[in-house]
Amino acid sequence: MAKTAAAMVQAGDREVRVSSPDRVIYEATDRTPEVTKLMVAEYFVAVEDGLMRALRDRPTALERWPDGYREGFRLSTGYGDDGEGFYQKRVPKGAPDYVDPVRITFPSGRTAEEICSTEIAVPVWCAQMGTLTFHPWPVRRADVDHPDELRIDLDPQPGTGFADAVRVAGVADELLRELGLVGFPKTSGNRGVHVYVRIEPRWTFEDVRHAAIAFGRELARRDEQVTTAWWKEERGERIFVDFNQNNRDRTIASAYSLRPKPGAPVSTPVTWSELAEVSDPRDFNLFTVTERVADGDPWAAIDEASYSLEPLLDLWQQQVDAGEGELNFPPDYPKMPGEPPRVQPSKKVAEHWDEQGNRVEGT
Protein backbone atom coordinates (compact mmCIF):
# COMPACT_ATOMS: atom_id res chain seq x y z
CA MET A 1 0.00 0.00 0.00
CA ALA A 2 1.36 3.38 -0.99
CA LYS A 3 2.21 5.73 1.83
CA THR A 4 -0.31 8.56 2.22
CA ALA A 5 1.13 11.91 1.21
CA ALA A 6 1.58 14.52 3.92
CA ALA A 7 -1.16 17.10 4.33
CA MET A 8 -0.78 20.82 4.90
CA VAL A 9 -2.89 22.47 7.61
CA GLN A 10 -3.46 26.22 7.60
CA ALA A 11 -2.68 27.43 11.12
CA GLY A 12 -2.97 31.18 11.33
CA ASP A 13 -0.49 32.67 8.86
CA ARG A 14 1.46 29.43 8.50
CA GLU A 15 1.02 26.11 6.80
CA VAL A 16 2.01 23.16 9.02
CA ARG A 17 2.96 19.84 7.46
CA VAL A 18 1.21 16.79 8.91
CA SER A 19 2.73 13.45 7.93
CA SER A 20 0.68 10.22 7.92
CA PRO A 21 -2.53 12.26 8.01
CA ASP A 22 -4.73 9.14 7.76
CA ARG A 23 -3.21 7.46 10.82
CA VAL A 24 -6.04 6.47 13.16
CA ILE A 25 -5.51 8.21 16.51
CA TYR A 26 -8.84 7.23 18.08
CA GLU A 27 -10.82 4.19 16.97
CA ALA A 28 -14.53 4.56 16.30
CA THR A 29 -16.89 3.99 19.22
CA ASP A 30 -20.65 3.63 19.46
CA ARG A 31 -20.71 7.41 20.08
CA THR A 32 -18.03 8.75 17.73
CA PRO A 33 -16.40 8.00 14.34
CA GLU A 34 -12.69 7.28 14.12
CA VAL A 35 -10.32 10.22 14.46
CA THR A 36 -7.23 10.61 12.29
CA LYS A 37 -4.04 12.53 12.88
CA LEU A 38 -5.14 15.17 10.38
CA MET A 39 -8.44 15.59 12.25
CA VAL A 40 -6.56 16.22 15.50
CA ALA A 41 -4.50 18.97 13.84
CA GLU A 42 -7.61 20.51 12.29
CA TYR A 43 -9.42 20.32 15.63
CA PHE A 44 -6.69 22.42 17.30
CA VAL A 45 -7.17 25.05 14.58
CA ALA A 46 -10.94 24.98 15.08
CA VAL A 47 -10.62 25.70 18.82
CA GLU A 48 -7.81 28.24 18.37
CA ASP A 49 -9.43 31.02 20.39
CA GLY A 50 -9.96 29.00 23.56
CA LEU A 51 -6.88 26.81 23.18
CA MET A 52 -4.54 29.77 22.80
CA ARG A 53 -6.23 31.49 25.74
CA ALA A 54 -5.15 28.46 27.77
CA LEU A 55 -1.65 28.06 26.30
CA ARG A 56 -0.36 31.44 25.15
CA ASP A 57 3.03 32.28 26.69
CA ARG A 58 2.82 29.36 29.14
CA PRO A 59 5.60 26.75 29.45
CA THR A 60 3.89 23.54 28.40
CA ALA A 61 4.65 19.85 28.72
CA LEU A 62 3.31 17.71 25.91
CA GLU A 63 1.49 14.41 26.39
CA ARG A 64 2.38 12.51 23.22
CA TRP A 65 0.74 9.39 21.78
CA PRO A 66 2.61 8.99 18.46
CA ASP A 67 0.75 5.83 17.44
CA GLY A 68 -2.59 7.04 18.70
CA TYR A 69 -4.65 5.85 21.65
CA ARG A 70 -6.29 2.46 22.11
CA GLU A 71 -8.18 1.22 25.13
CA GLY A 72 -5.67 -0.42 27.45
CA PHE A 73 -2.76 1.79 26.36
CA ARG A 74 -0.79 3.28 29.24
CA LEU A 75 0.98 6.57 29.87
CA SER A 76 4.61 6.24 30.95
CA THR A 77 5.38 8.25 34.08
CA GLY A 78 9.11 8.33 33.39
CA TYR A 79 9.93 6.33 36.52
CA GLY A 80 10.97 3.05 34.93
CA ASP A 81 7.61 2.01 33.51
CA ASP A 82 6.80 1.62 29.83
CA GLY A 83 3.79 2.94 28.00
CA GLU A 84 2.54 3.92 24.59
CA GLY A 85 2.17 7.54 25.68
CA PHE A 86 4.75 9.75 27.34
CA TYR A 87 5.40 13.30 28.59
CA GLN A 88 7.74 15.57 26.64
CA LYS A 89 9.06 18.29 28.94
CA ARG A 90 11.80 19.58 26.66
CA VAL A 91 11.50 21.02 23.16
CA PRO A 92 11.92 18.09 20.74
CA LYS A 93 14.80 18.16 18.29
CA GLY A 94 13.91 19.50 14.90
CA ALA A 95 11.34 21.99 16.17
CA PRO A 96 10.57 24.75 13.63
CA ASP A 97 11.96 28.22 14.23
CA TYR A 98 8.54 29.62 15.22
CA VAL A 99 8.60 27.42 18.33
CA ASP A 100 10.00 29.91 20.84
CA PRO A 101 10.77 28.02 24.08
CA VAL A 102 11.12 29.31 27.61
CA ARG A 103 13.46 28.11 30.35
CA ILE A 104 11.84 26.67 33.46
CA THR A 105 13.31 25.27 36.67
CA PHE A 106 12.25 21.91 38.12
CA PRO A 107 12.00 21.25 41.89
CA SER A 108 15.38 19.50 41.67
CA GLY A 109 17.01 22.72 40.49
CA ARG A 110 17.60 21.38 36.98
CA THR A 111 16.40 23.53 34.10
CA ALA A 112 14.88 22.85 30.69
CA GLU A 113 13.74 24.68 27.58
CA GLU A 114 10.03 23.95 27.31
CA ILE A 115 7.47 24.55 24.55
CA CYS A 116 5.77 27.94 24.95
CA SER A 117 2.99 28.61 22.43
CA THR A 118 2.85 32.07 20.89
CA GLU A 119 0.63 31.22 17.91
CA ILE A 120 -1.72 28.41 16.84
CA ALA A 121 0.89 26.91 14.52
CA VAL A 122 2.76 25.66 17.60
CA PRO A 123 -0.05 23.39 18.93
CA VAL A 124 -0.69 22.19 15.37
CA TRP A 125 2.97 21.25 15.00
CA CYS A 126 2.65 19.48 18.36
CA ALA A 127 -0.23 17.47 16.84
CA GLN A 128 2.15 16.47 14.06
CA MET A 129 4.38 15.13 16.85
CA GLY A 130 1.54 13.03 18.28
CA THR A 131 0.42 15.41 21.04
CA LEU A 132 -3.15 15.00 22.31
CA THR A 133 -2.97 16.76 25.68
CA PHE A 134 -1.26 20.02 26.62
CA HIS A 135 -0.08 20.50 30.21
CA PRO A 136 0.68 24.23 30.67
CA TRP A 137 2.33 25.62 33.78
CA PRO A 138 0.30 28.21 35.75
CA VAL A 139 2.84 30.90 34.83
CA ARG A 140 3.65 33.12 31.87
CA ARG A 141 6.87 33.58 29.92
CA ALA A 142 7.59 36.97 31.55
CA ASP A 143 7.72 35.50 35.08
CA VAL A 144 8.01 31.73 35.41
CA ASP A 145 8.34 31.77 39.22
CA HIS A 146 5.06 33.46 40.19
CA PRO A 147 1.83 31.71 39.13
CA ASP A 148 -1.11 33.66 37.76
CA GLU A 149 -3.56 30.77 38.24
CA LEU A 150 -4.95 28.94 41.23
CA ARG A 151 -6.09 25.51 40.06
CA ILE A 152 -8.68 23.56 42.04
CA ASP A 153 -8.63 19.92 40.94
CA LEU A 154 -11.70 17.98 42.13
CA ASP A 155 -10.72 14.33 41.76
CA PRO A 156 -13.38 11.63 42.33
CA GLN A 157 -12.11 8.71 44.39
CA PRO A 158 -13.33 5.11 43.98
CA GLY A 159 -17.01 4.92 44.83
CA THR A 160 -17.66 8.44 43.55
CA GLY A 161 -18.05 9.81 40.05
CA PHE A 162 -18.52 12.82 37.84
CA ALA A 163 -21.92 13.70 39.30
CA ASP A 164 -20.36 13.93 42.76
CA ALA A 165 -17.58 16.17 41.44
CA VAL A 166 -20.17 18.44 39.80
CA ARG A 167 -22.13 18.75 43.04
CA VAL A 168 -18.99 19.57 45.03
CA ALA A 169 -17.95 22.08 42.35
CA GLY A 170 -21.17 23.96 43.08
CA VAL A 171 -20.19 24.21 46.75
CA ALA A 172 -16.72 25.35 45.67
CA ASP A 173 -18.26 28.10 43.56
CA GLU A 174 -20.21 29.37 46.58
CA LEU A 175 -17.06 29.40 48.72
CA LEU A 176 -15.05 31.23 46.06
CA ARG A 177 -17.71 33.91 45.80
CA GLU A 178 -17.73 34.35 49.58
CA LEU A 179 -13.98 34.94 49.36
CA GLY A 180 -14.42 37.53 46.61
CA LEU A 181 -12.97 35.25 43.92
CA VAL A 182 -14.32 34.14 40.54
CA GLY A 183 -13.78 30.57 39.38
CA PHE A 184 -14.04 29.22 35.85
CA PRO A 185 -15.02 25.51 35.62
CA LYS A 186 -14.24 22.88 33.03
CA THR A 187 -14.62 19.16 32.69
CA SER A 188 -11.37 17.28 33.08
CA GLY A 189 -12.13 15.14 30.05
CA ASN A 190 -12.46 12.16 32.38
CA ARG A 191 -14.37 11.95 35.69
CA GLY A 192 -13.26 15.12 37.43
CA VAL A 193 -13.88 18.85 37.40
CA HIS A 194 -11.27 21.63 37.32
CA VAL A 195 -11.85 25.18 38.55
CA TYR A 196 -9.39 27.93 37.61
CA VAL A 197 -9.00 31.31 39.32
CA ARG A 198 -6.85 34.02 37.76
CA ILE A 199 -4.61 35.54 40.42
CA GLU A 200 -2.13 38.39 40.56
CA PRO A 201 1.38 36.96 39.89
CA ARG A 202 2.74 38.13 43.24
CA TRP A 203 3.05 34.86 45.15
CA THR A 204 5.32 31.84 45.01
CA PHE A 205 4.29 28.30 44.09
CA GLU A 206 4.41 27.45 47.81
CA ASP A 207 2.00 30.27 48.60
CA VAL A 208 -0.44 29.17 45.90
CA ARG A 209 -0.25 25.58 47.15
CA HIS A 210 -1.04 26.77 50.69
CA ALA A 211 -4.01 28.69 49.31
CA ALA A 212 -5.24 25.49 47.63
CA ILE A 213 -4.84 23.55 50.89
CA ALA A 214 -6.74 26.22 52.81
CA PHE A 215 -9.52 26.19 50.23
CA GLY A 216 -9.72 22.40 50.28
CA ARG A 217 -9.87 22.23 54.07
CA GLU A 218 -12.64 24.83 54.23
CA LEU A 219 -14.52 23.02 51.48
CA ALA A 220 -14.21 19.76 53.45
CA ARG A 221 -15.63 21.49 56.54
CA ARG A 222 -18.68 22.47 54.53
CA ASP A 223 -19.16 19.20 52.68
CA GLU A 224 -18.53 15.77 54.16
CA GLN A 225 -17.90 14.31 50.70
CA VAL A 226 -14.70 16.36 50.32
CA THR A 227 -11.20 15.44 51.52
CA THR A 228 -7.67 16.81 51.41
CA ALA A 229 -6.12 13.56 52.69
CA TRP A 230 -2.93 12.96 50.72
CA TRP A 231 -2.81 9.23 51.41
CA LYS A 232 -5.32 7.29 49.30
CA GLU A 233 -6.13 4.90 52.14
CA GLU A 234 -7.55 7.84 54.11
CA ARG A 235 -9.67 9.43 51.39
CA GLY A 236 -12.66 7.10 51.37
CA GLU A 237 -15.51 7.57 48.90
CA ARG A 238 -15.02 11.30 48.60
CA ILE A 239 -13.85 14.02 46.22
CA PHE A 240 -10.16 14.74 46.72
CA VAL A 241 -9.00 18.35 46.36
CA ASP A 242 -5.58 17.73 44.83
CA PHE A 243 -3.73 20.71 46.27
CA ASN A 244 -0.37 19.43 45.02
CA GLN A 245 -1.39 20.26 41.45
CA ASN A 246 -0.35 23.82 42.35
CA ASN A 247 3.29 22.83 42.87
CA ARG A 248 6.11 23.77 40.56
CA ASP A 249 6.21 21.34 37.60
CA ARG A 250 2.73 19.99 38.42
CA THR A 251 0.29 20.60 35.62
CA ILE A 252 -3.30 19.87 34.58
CA ALA A 253 -4.66 19.14 31.10
CA SER A 254 -5.46 22.47 29.49
CA ALA A 255 -8.82 23.70 28.36
CA TYR A 256 -9.64 22.22 24.95
CA SER A 257 -7.03 19.47 25.25
CA LEU A 258 -7.98 16.04 24.00
CA ARG A 259 -7.71 13.21 26.51
CA PRO A 260 -6.46 9.66 25.89
CA LYS A 261 -9.80 7.95 26.37
CA PRO A 262 -12.17 6.24 23.90
CA GLY A 263 -14.23 8.70 21.88
CA ALA A 264 -11.70 11.59 21.84
CA PRO A 265 -13.07 13.42 24.90
CA VAL A 266 -12.13 17.05 25.49
CA SER A 267 -11.41 18.97 28.70
CA THR A 268 -14.16 21.49 28.07
CA PRO A 269 -14.79 24.94 29.57
CA VAL A 270 -18.38 25.42 30.68
CA THR A 271 -20.43 28.01 32.53
CA TRP A 272 -21.52 27.22 36.07
CA SER A 273 -25.10 26.78 34.97
CA GLU A 274 -24.03 24.43 32.17
CA LEU A 275 -21.89 22.35 34.51
CA ALA A 276 -24.87 21.68 36.76
CA GLU A 277 -26.70 20.17 33.78
CA VAL A 278 -23.88 17.95 32.43
CA SER A 279 -24.66 14.28 33.04
CA ASP A 280 -21.94 12.66 30.91
CA PRO A 281 -18.63 14.45 30.22
CA ARG A 282 -18.12 12.20 27.17
CA ASP A 283 -20.70 14.38 25.45
CA PHE A 284 -17.85 16.86 25.02
CA ASN A 285 -15.58 15.35 22.38
CA LEU A 286 -13.61 16.39 19.30
CA PHE A 287 -16.76 16.47 17.17
CA THR A 288 -19.19 18.20 19.50
CA VAL A 289 -16.69 20.74 20.84
CA THR A 290 -15.73 21.76 17.29
CA GLU A 291 -19.38 22.70 16.78
CA ARG A 292 -19.74 24.18 20.26
CA VAL A 293 -16.97 26.79 19.88
CA ALA A 294 -18.90 28.46 17.07
CA ASP A 295 -21.00 30.00 19.85
CA GLY A 296 -17.92 31.32 21.67
CA ASP A 297 -15.76 30.30 24.62
CA PRO A 298 -17.34 30.21 28.11
CA TRP A 299 -13.94 31.28 29.43
CA ALA A 300 -13.69 34.36 27.19
CA ALA A 301 -13.65 36.64 30.25
CA ILE A 302 -11.09 34.72 32.32
CA ASP A 303 -8.29 37.23 31.69
CA GLU A 304 -10.39 40.31 32.44
CA ALA A 305 -9.66 40.32 36.18
CA SER A 306 -6.94 38.90 38.43
CA TYR A 307 -7.56 38.38 42.12
CA SER A 308 -5.58 38.58 45.33
CA LEU A 309 -4.64 35.40 47.16
CA GLU A 310 -4.75 37.22 50.50
CA PRO A 311 -8.21 35.93 51.53
CA LEU A 312 -7.03 32.34 51.09
CA LEU A 313 -3.62 32.97 52.66
CA ASP A 314 -5.37 34.55 55.65
CA LEU A 315 -7.49 31.38 55.86
CA TRP A 316 -4.30 29.28 55.67
CA GLN A 317 -2.77 31.22 58.57
CA GLN A 318 -5.93 30.74 60.64
CA GLN A 319 -5.69 27.01 60.02
CA VAL A 320 -2.00 26.95 60.96
CA ASP A 321 -2.76 28.87 64.17
CA ALA A 322 -5.44 26.27 64.94
CA GLY A 323 -2.90 23.45 64.63
CA GLU A 324 -3.49 22.47 61.00
CA GLY A 325 -0.13 22.78 59.31
CA GLU A 326 1.71 21.54 56.26
CA LEU A 327 0.61 18.54 54.18
CA ASN A 328 2.71 16.08 52.19
CA PHE A 329 4.41 16.97 48.95
CA PRO A 330 4.68 14.56 45.98
CA PRO A 331 7.22 11.75 46.44
CA ASP A 332 9.63 13.09 43.81
CA TYR A 333 9.97 16.40 45.69
CA PRO A 334 12.82 17.04 48.11
CA LYS A 335 11.78 16.97 51.76
CA MET A 336 10.10 20.31 52.43
CA PRO A 337 10.08 22.44 55.63
CA GLY A 338 7.32 21.45 58.04
CA GLU A 339 6.23 18.50 55.93
CA PRO A 340 4.78 15.48 57.80
CA PRO A 341 6.60 12.14 57.51
CA ARG A 342 6.20 10.56 54.09
CA VAL A 343 4.88 7.35 55.53
CA GLN A 344 1.51 5.75 54.83
CA PRO A 345 -0.59 5.97 58.01
CA SER A 346 -1.13 2.21 58.08
CA LYS A 347 2.63 1.60 57.95
CA LYS A 348 3.27 4.29 60.54
CA VAL A 349 0.97 2.46 62.96
CA ALA A 350 2.46 -0.95 62.20
CA GLU A 351 6.06 0.18 62.46
CA HIS A 352 8.02 2.89 64.30
CA TRP A 353 8.98 6.12 62.53
CA ASP A 354 10.54 9.33 63.74
CA GLU A 355 9.20 12.79 62.90
CA GLN A 356 11.43 12.97 59.80
CA GLY A 357 9.86 9.82 58.34
CA ASN A 358 12.82 7.55 59.13
CA ARG A 359 12.21 4.02 60.32
CA VAL A 360 13.32 3.43 63.90
CA GLU A 361 14.46 -0.06 64.88
CA GLY A 362 12.61 -1.63 67.80
CA THR A 363 14.30 -1.75 71.19
Side-chain angles (χ1 to χ4, degrees):
M1 182 180 293
K3 185 177 180 180
T4 304
M8 302 302 291
V9 174
Q10 190 68 41
D13 295 331
R14 302 184 192 275
E15 282 193 326
V16 179
R17 181 178 181 274
V18 177
S19 62
S20 304
D22 294 337
R23 177 179 297 158
V24 175
I25 302 301
Y26 292 96
E27 294 178 316
T29 70
D30 58 355
R31 303 165 62 94
T32 53
E34 71 178 20
V35 175
T36 66
K37 185 177 178 182
L38 177 60
M39 292 167 71
V40 170
E42 291 174 336
Y43 163 75
F44 289 152
V45 173
V47 297
E48 174 183 358
D49 180 55
L51 183 62
M52 289 306 297
R53 187 172 288 110
L55 300 182
R56 189 179 303 278
D57 290 329
R58 296 190 184 279
T60 302
L62 309 179
E63 186 179 323
R64 295 175 57 189
W65 297 83
D67 296 322
Y69 173 79
R70 303 290 183 272
E71 197 157 11
F73 277 13
R74 295 182 303 111
L75 178 65
S76 173
T77 64
Y79 292 97
D81 57 346
D82 294 323
E84 293 79 10
F86 60 93
Y87 290 111
Q88 178 97 41
K89 292 191 175 184
R90 291 172 169 80
V91 177
K93 292 181 179 179
D97 57 9
Y98 56 81
V99 175
D100 187 12
V102 65
R103 175 164 293 188
I104 47 86
T105 302
F106 298 120
S108 65
R110 293 181 296 109
T111 62
E113 298 290 320
E114 199 155 271
I115 290 279
C116 192
S117 296
T118 54
E119 57 179 289
I120 190 58
V122 177
V124 174
W125 175 76
C126 292
Q128 152 64 16
M129 300 296 289
T131 300
L132 298 182
T133 311
F134 298 95
H135 294 265
W137 283 45
V139 298
R140 306 272 188 173
R141 177 189 298 273
D143 184 351
V144 295
D145 293 314
H146 296 91
D148 70 344
E149 283 182 342
L150 168 68
R151 297 172 174 179
I152 300 166
D153 182 2
L154 302 177
D155 185 9
Q157 299 304 290
T160 66
F162 179 73
D164 300 296
V166 167
R167 189 192 63 75
V168 167
V171 182
D173 180 35
E174 293 174 2
L175 176 55
L176 286 171
R177 292 176 187 276
E178 286 182 25
L179 292 164
L181 305 173
V182 175
F184 289 78
K186 68 181 179 73
T187 64
S188 70
N190 193 6
R191 300 168 64 242
V193 173
H194 301 154
V195 182
Y196 283 29
V197 179
R198 283 286 191 268
I199 59 173
E200 298 164 357
R202 297 195 286 124
W203 292 275
T204 65
F205 282 95
E206 292 77 15
D207 290 331
V208 178
R209 177 179 173 276
H210 286 159
I213 292 173
F215 183 88
R217 282 173 171 160
E218 181 60 27
L219 195 62
R221 288 192 182 95
R222 298 177 179 218
D223 194 305
E224 62 183 8
Q225 202 181 12
V226 175
T227 182
T228 56
W230 176 244
W231 299 103
K232 291 182 179 181
E233 64 186 40
E234 293 187 323
R235 293 177 189 170
E237 295 184 2
R238 292 182 285 184
I239 302 299
F240 172 51
V241 180
D242 192 351
F243 52 87
N244 272 330
Q245 293 289 32
N246 291 278
N247 274 317
R248 181 184 294 272
D249 194 33
R250 283 296 184 277
T251 54
I252 295 177
S254 79
Y256 296 103
S257 274
L258 292 161
R259 305 307 305 274
K261 296 287 181 183
V266 172
S267 181
T268 306
V270 291
T271 64
W272 283 107
S273 58
E274 279 183 308
L275 180 63
E277 300 298 322
V278 178
S279 59
D280 189 339
R282 295 177 299 173
D283 290 341
F284 296 121
N285 55 58
L286 178 146
F287 300 96
T288 61
V289 171
T290 299
E291 297 173 356
R292 173 182 168 83
V293 296
D295 296 326
D297 178 15
W299 282 19
I302 194 171
D303 289 318
E304 291 181 1
S306 297
Y307 296 89
S308 172
L309 265 191
E310 289 175 0
L312 281 170
L313 293 177
D314 288 344
L315 185 59
W316 162 259
Q317 190 58 54
Q318 292 170 24
Q319 293 171 357
V320 170
D321 292 344
E324 295 181 292
E326 189 60 270
L327 295 177
N328 286 107
F329 283 76
D332 59 321
Y333 260 60
K335 184 71 174 177
M336 302 297 283
E339 182 182 1
R342 292 186 184 178
V343 183
Q344 285 180 247
S346 57
K347 291 185 177 180
K348 191 173 182 181
V349 170
E351 301 173 355
H352 297 287
W353 302 81
D354 63 21
E355 289 302 312
Q356 284 71 47
N358 301 310
R359 186 175 177 180
V360 178
E361 296 296 332
T363 57

